[in-house]
Amino acid sequence: AHERLTFGKGLSTEDEPDLWLRTLSDEIDLWIEIGQPDEKVLRRACGRSRQVCVYSYGGKVADIWWQQHQRKLNHLDKLMVCNVPVTASQALAEMVKRTMQLQCTLQDGEIMLTDGKNTVSTVLQVLKPAT
């Protein structure tokens, strides 16, 4: 969480991430991709940003993506890859509403998201820490 964390045009533009944190001098401090991005996009992001984070999800699809790209991605020092457990991503999908408001609590590595009625708690699986 940060006051300068903003949405990028990630879905429609390869030159921008899904989320990013820019410095006051407009440099990219943090580049965040959601899902299973292309390895070329991640290499380019590592060249443009201080840190790159991928949050994959989708169960078997995410596992296959990681198996196919792990060898190449392990060489990117600025890259961190985490996986959202399938039960948590399914529960979060059920919370999605047009006018949703979520609150997030981080404590001891556990993430708790609530919409006021439902709460989803999970721990991300770190597949590759940044070095």
Side-chain angles (χ1 to χ4, degrees):
H2 196 281
E3 63 188 23
R4 289 191 315 270
L5 186 64
T6 58
F7 288 101
K9 297 178 187 174
L11 294 176
S12 62
T13 305
E14 281 190 15
D15 290 340
E16 288 190 19
D18 298 323
L19 292 163
W20 58 4
L21 177 65
R22 298 183 76 97
T23 66
L24 294 174
S25 59
D26 210 30
E27 296 169 332
I28 304 169
D29 202 26
L30 176 61
W31 181 296
I32 300 173
E33 293 284 342
I34 309 296
Q36 293 80 35
D38 187 81
E39 180 251 338
K40 291 177 189 176
V41 170
L42 295 175
R43 271 191 285 124
R44 193 173 323 125
C46 285
R48 295 181 58 198
S49 176
R50 190 180 65 75
Q51 184 179 2
V52 178
C53 297
V54 173
Y55 295 95
S56 66
Y57 65 94
K60 192 84 167 155
V61 172
D63 294 340
I64 292 169
W65 172 82
W66 179 242
Q67 289 171 359
Q68 290 175 342
H69 295 89
Q70 179 179 4
R71 195 174 104 275
K72 290 181 180 179
L73 297 180
N74 276 334
H75 298 293
L76 301 175
D77 294 339
K78 296 178 182 180
L79 177 66
M80 179 179 79
V81 180
C82 295
N83 185 46
V84 179
V86 68
T87 53
S89 63
Q90 290 171 343
L92 290 168
E94 292 177 13
M95 292 171 64
V96 173
K97 295 187 180 30
R98 185 171 178 86
T99 59
M100 66 182 175
Q101 290 187 352
L102 301 176
Q103 292 185 3
C104 179
T105 303
L106 303 172
Q107 184 174 352
D108 299 327
E110 183 177 8
I111 301 168
M112 292 176 280
L113 287 162
T114 183
D115 63 2
K117 294 180 183 177
N118 304 301
T119 300
V120 176
S121 296
T122 192
V123 175
L124 297 177
Q125 176 188 14
V126 178
L127 301 174
K128 181 198 175 304
T131 53

